[in-house]
Amino acid sequence: MIIQELRKLIESGEKIDVEFKRSRSDITKDVYDTVCSFNNRNGGHIFLGVKDDREILGVEPEAIDKILRDFTTAINNANKIYPPLYLTPEVYEIEPEIKIIYIRVPEGGQVRRHNGIIWDRTYEGDIDITRNEELVYKMYARKQGSYYVNKVFPGLGMEFLNSDLIKRARKMATGRVDNHPWAIMNEEEILRSSGLILTDMETYKEGITLAAILLFGKDSSIMSVMPQYKTDAIYRVENVDRYDDRDVIITNLISSYDRLMEFGKKHLNDVFVLEGIQSVSARDRILREVISNILAHRDFSSGFPAKFIIEKDKIYTENSNLAHGIGELRLDRFEPFPKNPPISKVFREIGLADELGSGMRNTNKYTKLYSGGIPSFDEGDIFKITIPLKNIATAKVGPEKESVGQSVGQDVGQGVGQEEAVLQELILKLINKNNRVTKKQIAKEASVSEKTVERQMKKMTNVKYVGRGYSGHWEIRD
C-alpha cells in the first residue's frame, strides 16, 4: 500500500473497516480485539500510532521492533487468538521522521476468538457477542455457508403441509414452461426435487425442512415451528404518526406474496409508462421484485418481522439478513449471494422471482420508469430497499376532506380512466396548495410530460386560469 492511500484512509476517519490505536511504545490488548472483529466481519485496516481524532502521533522508533515481534507472536499463539492468524504488519514513514505501523486484516473463513471471546465489528466499534446466541449463530452461518431453512423436522410429515397449495404451485410452474418436470410428479416428489425433504444428519431420520413448512405449511404448522414469523404491511400517507391501513400477515410464503401484492396494488396507482413502444405496469414489476426479496431472502432465524411500508414519497422494505457486506449496494459492482436457495428455487419455478441478481437490476430499471428516481439497497443485518415515489403514485381518487371539496368527486373519476383521474386529482391538489403553480411544475411533480398536463387540464371543466401570464392564477369552480 502506498503512502497516498494510507493518508486517504486516515483522513476518512474510523469506520466499520478502519481503526486507529495510539500504541506508541507498546501494543495494547484491544488491538487483538479489533483483529478478531475485522477477521470475523469483512476485514479492515488497523493503524498503530494514530489517535481516534486522526492525529498522527507515530510509534516511538525504539519500540517498533518490539511491537512487531509481540504482535506476530500473539496472533500465532492458539491460546490467545484461536484459530491462529498469519498477518504481516508493515512500517511506513507517513511524515518526515514519523513512522506508523499498518496492519491489513482480511475477512476470515472461520470464527475467531481472542482469549475465548468472540468479537464482531459494527460502526460503533468492536462488540463482544459471545453470549448472544442469535449473533453467534449468524456469524457461524456466514462463515460456514449453512442455511437455517434446511433444518429438518423428522417428526413432521406431509399432513403438516397444505396439499392444495402444492398442487397450485405445480399448476403455476407447468403453466409457465412446457413439459415442466413437475407435471408428472406427485406432491412428495415435487418436495424432494426442490430439496424440501432432507435427512437430519444428527438423527439420520428423514423429514420435511423448515423451507417446506414456510412455503407450503398450514398456518398452525408454521406457528408451531416459528412463532416469531410475521410480515407487516403498512400504508402511511395521511396518518403519519400511526398508519392508514395495515395487514399483519402470518401465513405461508406463497399466500404472503399474494396478500402483499394486493396490498401494494390497493394503495399504489398504476401509472401509465412505456418500455420502448410497449405499455408496462412498472408498479407491478417493482412490487414483484421487492416482495419476493423480503419473503425469499430473509434470515428466518431472527425474530425481526419483515416490513413492507408505503409512505407518500417512498416505498421501503426491511428484513433480517445474514449480511455478506455492509453499506449501500451498487449495481456496477454487486455480487449476489444466495440466502435461502430452496425457497428461491421454488419462487423461480412458479414465476414469483427470476435468477439471482436480476431483482436489483429490474427494480432499478422500473423505478426509473415509474417515478424517475433511483432505488437504494442497504446491506447489513437488516436489509433495506427504498423506492422513491412521486405524488401521483399515492394520490387518491375521490372526494377530499379538505378544500378540494365536492368538485373532485364530481369532475374527477367520472368518464375518465383511473390514470387520468389520478392525474386530475393531483392537479387539483397542487392548485389548492398554490394557485400560481405552473404546468411545468405540475408535470415535474406528477412525473409526466407538460403536454400530458395540458391535455388533462383541457378536459377539466372545473379549472380555469384567470388573468394573463405570470400575474394570473388558477381557480377551481364548484
Side-chain angles (χ1 to χ4, degrees), residues 125-136:
D126 308 318
I127 58 169
D128 175 3
I129 65 167
T130 312
R131 301 182 188 281
N132 189 319
E133 293 183 5
E134 181 180 332
L135 295 181
V136 171

Side-chain angles (χ1 to χ4, degrees), residues 191-207:
L191 296 183
R192 290 185 183 279
S193 71
S194 304
L196 301 176
I197 295 179
L198 297 174
T199 300
D200 182 4
M201 299 312 294
E202 293 184 5
T203 64
Y204 295 101
K205 293 182 179 179
E206 197 175 62

Side-chain angles (χ1 to χ4, degrees), residues 305-357:
K307 296 184 179 70
F308 172 73
I309 300 174
I310 300 173
E311 295 186 346
K312 185 175 183 179
D313 58 348
K314 66 178 179 289
I315 306 168
Y316 69 94
T317 66
E318 295 181 348
N319 60 276
S320 54
N321 178 48
L322 285 177
H324 289 267
I326 297 292
E328 186 172 355
L329 300 180
R330 288 180 52 180
L331 196 60
D332 58 347
R333 60 188 185 193
F334 168 61
E335 295 184 8
F337 192 95
K339 302 295 174 66
N340 299 307
I343 293 176
S344 298
K345 174 179 171 58
V346 172
F347 266 48
R348 288 194 301 271
E349 295 291 343
I350 63 179
L352 303 188
D354 296 320
E355 289 303 314
L356 189 65

Side-chain angles (χ1 to χ4, degrees), residues 181-458:
W182 285 7
I184 58 173
M185 293 183 185
N186 61 33
E187 295 163 25
E188 184 174 326
E189 289 170 340
I190 289 173
L191 296 183
R192 290 185 183 279
S193 71
S194 304
L196 301 176
I197 295 179
L198 297 174
T199 300
D200 182 4
M201 299 312 294
E202 293 184 5
T203 64
Y204 295 101
K205 293 182 179 179
E206 197 175 62
I208 59 175
T209 64
L210 176 61
I213 297 170
L214 289 168
L215 283 162
F216 302 117
K218 299 173 182 176
D219 290 357
S220 57
S221 304
I222 295 173
M223 287 299 101
S224 66
V225 300
M226 188 167 288
Q228 76 274 22
Y229 169 76
K230 182 175 74 170
T231 303
D232 208 355
I234 296 173
Y235 176 70
R236 184 188 294 131
V237 172
E238 301 293 337
N239 189 348
V240 295
D241 293 328
R242 294 189 71 234
Y243 53 82
D244 304 303
D245 191 14
R246 185 180 186 184
D247 189 7
V248 179
I249 302 170
I250 309 174
T251 189
N252 63 78
L253 294 176
I254 296 175
S255 299
S256 293
Y257 179 93
D258 293 339
R259 281 174 58 175
L260 287 168
M261 284 294 291
E262 290 172 7
F263 190 87
K265 290 178 180 181
K266 175 182 177 183
H267 295 297
L268 291 169
N269 297 309
D270 196 5
V271 181
F272 173 80
V273 297
L274 286 174
E275 184 178 6
I277 60 173
Q278 191 171 10
S279 173
V280 297
S281 175
R283 176 201 66 183
D284 291 359
R285 303 288 178 89
I286 293 168
L287 289 175
R288 175 180 183 264
E289 300 299 344
V290 299
I291 289 171
S292 64
N293 180 81
I294 63 173
L295 295 177
H297 299 305
R298 67 204 273 188
D299 171 23
F300 290 99
S301 69
S302 171
F304 184 87
K307 296 184 179 70
F308 172 73
I309 300 174
I310 300 173
E311 295 186 346
K312 185 175 183 179
D313 58 348
K314 66 178 179 289
I315 306 168
Y316 69 94
T317 66
E318 295 181 348
N319 60 276
S320 54
N321 178 48
L322 285 177
H324 289 267
I326 297 292
E328 186 172 355
L329 300 180
R330 288 180 52 180
L331 196 60
D332 58 347
R333 60 188 185 193
F334 168 61
E335 295 184 8
F337 192 95
K339 302 295 174 66
N340 299 307
I343 293 176
S344 298
K345 174 179 171 58
V346 172
F347 266 48
R348 288 194 301 271
E349 295 291 343
I350 63 179
L352 303 188
D354 296 320
E355 289 303 314
L356 189 65
S358 62
M360 186 172 172
R361 293 191 296 273
N362 290 337
T363 305
N364 190 70
K365 173 183 176 181
Y366 290 108
T367 299
K368 289 179 180 178
L369 290 174
Y370 191 59
S371 68
I374 298 175
S376 66
F377 306 83
D378 294 306
E379 175 90 60
D381 290 333
I382 302 299
F383 188 84
K384 300 178 182 179
I385 302 176
T386 304
I387 310 292
L389 296 176
K390 291 287 186 180
N391 281 349
I392 194 170
T394 52
K396 290 184 178 179
V397 177
E400 291 289 324
K401 295 178 181 179
E402 298 175 357
S403 58
V404 175
Q406 293 183 347
S407 62
V408 177
Q410 293 166 352
D411 289 84
V412 177
Q414 297 180 14
V416 296
Q418 183 195 28
E419 294 166 10
E420 289 183 326
V422 170
L423 179 54
Q424 291 181 18
E425 176 86 6
L426 179 59
I427 289 169
L428 291 172
K429 285 184 177 181
L430 294 174
I431 290 174
N432 270 280
K433 189 175 180 180
N434 174 16
N435 66 357
R436 295 182 185 275
V437 66
T438 65
K439 293 177 182 178
K440 185 175 181 179
Q441 291 170 332
I442 294 173
K444 183 178 180 181
E445 188 71 25
S447 192
V448 297
S449 69
E450 198 169 339
K451 287 185 178 180
T452 299
V453 173
E454 289 178 357
R455 185 167 58 250
Q456 291 303 320
M457 295 188 82
K458 286 179 182 178

